[in-house]
């Protein structure tokens, strides 16, 4: 689900950038001089209808983009804080835990061996 929303976000972002750049400016100082030839080529009314269409499409795509961003936030929010995990530190922690577990096991084995030696020594003392 997150992949689909992510792809949609990328497509909408690219479309928004392109559509905003294609729209004519309301300020006709320098850009009006440059775009003046385009108005005579397309005609005055056709240029305005294209701008009106781009304005409407841009508004709709912008609203969809906003909704998709919120949807992505909801889908990826699992109620936990996002924490970056260092895999090397995690592996080192696992190795340290294994070493500690082995050391504890060795201590237990030594304690059992000492208990057996004591039991055998008591048994020999009783036998004498």
């Amino acid at each position: 689900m997150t992949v689909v929303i992510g792809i949609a976000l990328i497509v909408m972002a690219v479309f928004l950038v392109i559509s905003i750049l294609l729209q004519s400016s309301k300020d006709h100082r320098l850009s009006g001089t440059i775009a003046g030839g385009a108005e005579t080529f397309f005609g005055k009314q056709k240029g305005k209808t294209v701008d009106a269409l781009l304005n409407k499409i841009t508004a709709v795509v912008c609203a969809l983009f906003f909704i998709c961003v919120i949807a992505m936030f909801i889908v990826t929010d699992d109620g936990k804080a996002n924490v970056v995990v260092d895999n090397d530190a995690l592996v080192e922690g696992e190795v340290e835990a294994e070493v500690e577990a082995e050391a504890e096991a060795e201590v237990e084995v030594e304690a059992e061996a000492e208990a057996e030696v004591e039991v055998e020594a008591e048994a020999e003392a009783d036998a004498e």
Side-chain angles (χ1 to χ4, degrees):
M1 182 70 176
T2 57
V3 174
V4 173
I5 296 174
I7 291 171
L9 284 172
I10 291 171
V11 169
M12 284 187 277
V14 169
F15 177 79
L16 282 172
V17 168
I18 292 171
S19 68
I20 290 171
L21 290 175
L22 285 176
Q23 292 179 20
S24 65
S25 171
K26 304 289 185 224
D27 186 20
H28 293 292
R29 292 182 192 155
L30 183 59
S31 64
T33 346
I34 297 170
E39 285 182 8
T40 59
F41 179 73
F42 288 117
K44 287 205 176 260
Q45 294 301 331
K46 191 169 185 179
K48 289 182 181 179
T49 58
V50 170
D51 279 341
L53 181 65
L54 277 175
N55 283 338
K56 289 177 186 175
I57 292 174
T58 302
V60 169
V61 173
C62 185
L64 289 174
F65 185 81
F66 181 73
I67 291 169
C68 281
V69 167
I70 292 175
M72 179 69 97
F73 178 75
I74 291 171
V75 168
T76 58
D77 186 29
D78 56 356
K80 299 178 185 176
N82 293 331
V83 178
V84 177
V85 177
D86 185 12
N87 288 334
D88 294 334
L90 185 62
V91 170
E92 288 175 9
E94 290 175 359
V95 170
E96 289 174 4
E98 289 178 10
V99 168
E100 288 177 7
E102 289 175 3
E104 290 176 4
E106 288 178 12
V107 169
E108 289 177 9
V109 169
E110 289 175 4
E112 289 175 3
E114 289 176 6
E116 287 178 14
V117 169
E118 288 177 8
V119 168
E120 289 176 7
E122 288 177 6
E124 287 179 8
D126 288 342
E128 291 177 359

